[in-house]
Amino acid sequence: ETLSGPGPFTVFAPTDAAFAEALEALDMTAEQLLADTETLTTILTYHVVSGKVLAADVVTLDGQDVETVAGPTVNVKVDGSTVMINDATVTAADIMASNGVIHVIDKVLLPPS
């Protein structure tokens, strides 16, 4: 629902391998997570930030906490050309979408409990 809006949004999109790792860490199957819509929605919206934040903008956010659509914040760290969102590394940036931008990350971001 959130992402079907006009945006703009910035989405930190985990790879398939990152989702597989997260399911193992959560001790869940994909089917179990899909059935738990509340948890799934919280996790997915924790990967979304309001506004269009391009790679050039992200580097200016070094050390800052940024509020997600889910509510809790993510921490941005920049070290040279490496950008971290919490403990996830951005592996591809600035994939343009009709209502924002996508940055690919190598881990699923799990909101604080």
Side-chain angles (χ1 to χ4, degrees):
E1 248 177 60
T2 300
L3 294 178
S4 64
F9 300 105
T10 299
V11 176
F12 299 105
T15 62
D16 289 343
F19 269 111
E21 185 180 305
L23 287 170
E24 190 174 307
L26 292 168
D27 195 27
M28 297 179 88
T29 65
E31 293 76 22
Q32 289 171 318
L33 182 58
L34 290 171
D36 186 348
T37 55
E38 184 177 334
T39 298
L40 180 62
T41 299
T42 300
I43 291 172
L44 293 178
T45 56
Y46 188 60
H47 289 78
V48 181
V49 174
S50 292
K52 187 176 182 180
V53 184
L54 299 173
D57 303 319
V58 170
V59 297
T60 67
L61 299 173
D62 184 29
Q64 294 185 37
D65 292 326
V66 178
E67 186 175 357
T68 66
V69 171
T73 62
V74 291
N75 182 262
V76 178
K77 293 178 232 129
V78 181
D79 184 10
S81 62
T82 302
V83 175
M84 304 283 294
I85 308 299
N86 290 352
D87 64 344
T89 302
V90 175
T91 60
D94 292 349
I95 301 166
M96 303 311 287
S98 61
N99 62 348
V101 63
I102 299 167
H103 303 295
V104 179
I105 56 176
D106 66 353
K107 292 186 184 218
V108 171
L109 305 173
L110 296 175
S113 306

